Amino acid sequence: MDYNQLAELLFPHITTTPADMEEKYPPRNLPEGAKVTRFAPSPTGFVHFGGLFPSTVAERLAHQSGGVFYLRIEDTDAKREVEGASEGLIRTLATYGIHFDEGAILDENGNISDKGAYGPYKQSMRGPIYQTYAKQLVREGKAYPCFTTEEELDELQQINKKEAIKHTDWQAEAESRRAEMLARRNFTMEEVKEHLAAGHPFVLRILANGDPEKKTKFTDLVRGALEIPENDEDFVLLKSDGIPTYHFAHAVDDHLMGTTHVIRGEEWLPSLAKHIQLFAYLGFKLPKYMHISQIMRLDENGNKKKLSKRDMGANMDDYTGMGYSPEAVCEYVMTLLNSNYEEWHAKNADKPYTDFPFNIKKMSVSGCLFDFNKLGDVSKNIISRMTADEVYEKLCVWAKAFDSDFAAELLADADYAKKILAIGRGGKKPRKDLATWVDAKPYMGFFYDKYYALVDSYPAGFDNADIKAALTKFLETYDAADEMNVWFDKIKKIADELGYASDMKAYKADPSAFKGNVADISAFIRVAVTGKQNAPDLYTVMQIIGEARTRERIEAQIAALN
Ligand code: GLU
């Protein structure tokens, strides 16, 4: 077979050569050790939590090494493409600190455009580049056209499968697949000419030369040494519309764009044999690979399951509504990605996660477990270290979008809100009340008359008359100008007067000698003023809500206890 002639027949419109491409996209001029990484999503929907993983790793490795991190849009499957997905993806990733140096970007009008010398960065725009290499492979006898239509192929495969399943004869299936492949490889130039003349579409297949009995040694940077069986499958390189498959586009793009480290999901590991073969056929240097494990979650029965698209927490856009701040999510991702992150963070609490020396060797091979409780803990720590001003600002942004009613209250008196948010902040052991912005209203709502309500009941074991007596006495001497000690001494005095122990030691020695103790008196007042048994320091609460409101609430409670 005259392969040059075949190449001309199949790709008459391609006049460029691989050498032209190499000239147009020369190797990058970067310092020793600089890594070039990319995120290469298919724009088929939202950013999955699992997608934040490889992209965070890729971003860290590139930027930590003074390299380049770029975005390539893998839109070769038009059927699965979702309108606006690329734009949404860029915005979502930016929310989580993932910024690209190069690649597909959003221009000022919010449209996708290109930045950098290695574009186009959208695969659908790179047809002639792929076809240039495809033509070369045909010239070298490493790829061939296949005119069997997709439908015919599907049908054949279905029949083979059904037969094999019926007879549980896997060897027969393998043999029939092999026979099919050999038949495909067998064609004449005349046949090709006839097909082309009749306008029949074709796909371009690789002519696989591997022997699966033979294994190639391969090192994955996360998984270590692996043995990969050689590829013997004539997989498709170009679909009938001239658009490449993932495999072919991966080889051509990552080569021309100078990717040094391919960081992708472990679902691509089974395709690695194809990629190794393809890079060798094309004469490209194989990049380094990291196959990242999928994110798991525990189901109701405590079994590990893949975090699927529909699971809570899968869609990164949901986190905003759930009230998580991006800092918390990023830090949580780091704790999942690097086992020593938490230790580092404990020692460097005031440093951003981007200062952490990310280490490939500390990555888990077995798959990380997604856990909202853990995310909540990380988030509580982060919010507890923010200033009241910061919390106020972020809370308002969230509330404006998701709870306009609450936002109106917060915005009506910023000083008041900040005083509330300042409670228990700034010390060595700050309060950790908020994991999300959603938690804010239940925590601090009682400061606003609009949300104040008796959520908890009074401590058990006391009747209305007891509670009323204590509350009434409190109002008799309450003075908002009192220092904390004076204020508390007054409460102790009430305890003594009403037969409660003001001294906890005495109470513990003989509880039966008292009606209760001073903590019960405080609890009556706390429930009356805040509506809750658990609230921040009562003295501070009263200082913030003020004397008038305090009295009003306690009076209303006394009346209600009648
Ligand atoms: N488009 C592929 C995907 O979304 C990219 C995999 C890769 O990073 O190479 O799975």
Side-chain angles (χ1 to χ4, degrees), residues 287-301:
K288 293 198 165 42
Y289 285 88
M290 296 173 64
H291 289 93
I292 312 253
S293 309
Q294 285 183 332
I295 313 290
M296 312 298 278
R297 66 171 179 96
L298 289 183
D299 69 7
E300 311 70 46
N301 306 318

Side-chain angles (χ1 to χ4, degrees), residues 38-43 54 72-74 123 246 250 254 262-265 267-268:
R38 83 295 192 275
F39 186 46
S42 308
R72 184 169 69 226
I73 304 287
E74 307 219 316
Q123 288 183 329
Y246 167 77
H250 156 48
D254 281 316
V262 170
I263 298 150
R264 62 185 181 187
E267 65 276 18
W268 292 110

